[in-house]
Amino acid sequence: MLLAALARAQDNYEIQVYGSDTVSPSSTMVELHSNFTADGSKIAENGVLPSNHAQHETPGIQPRFHQLV
């Protein structure tokens, strides 16, 4: 039951990763996106968790299989 309650919470971070034309064909680009909120919300609002002093790490792995045309 506790896990079900935790699963309904969310935070307010969204990461969008775009491919790069500088990555050569048949190679893989690996990135680490780091975000820290120094001064954010301190209470949960409408099911969104507080973001004060929140640290987020998101890996980005993008294989490139063919040459772009």
Side-chain angles (χ1 to χ4, degrees), residues 24-41:
S24 45
S26 302
S27 63
T28 300
M29 180 171 61
V30 179
E31 301 174 312
L32 180 63
H33 303 271
S34 301
N35 295 291
F36 177 74
T37 303
D39 186 18
S41 62

Side-chain angles (χ1 to χ4, degrees), residues 7-68:
R8 291 191 313 215
Q10 69 180 44
D11 60 20
N12 57 359
Y13 284 86
E14 180 179 336
I15 299 290
Q16 291 185 337
V17 179
Y18 300 96
S20 174
D21 292 340
T22 61
V23 178
S24 45
S26 302
S27 63
T28 300
M29 180 171 61
V30 179
E31 301 174 312
L32 180 63
H33 303 271
S34 301
N35 295 291
F36 177 74
T37 303
D39 186 18
S41 62
K42 294 177 176 60
I43 60 171
E45 297 179 28
N46 298 322
V48 178
L49 296 176
S51 59
N52 194 52
H53 296 159
Q55 174 75 37
H56 289 265
E57 303 291 337
T58 305
I61 302 171
Q62 301 177 27
R64 185 162 169 198
F65 299 107
H66 55 80
Q67 184 153 350
L68 298 174

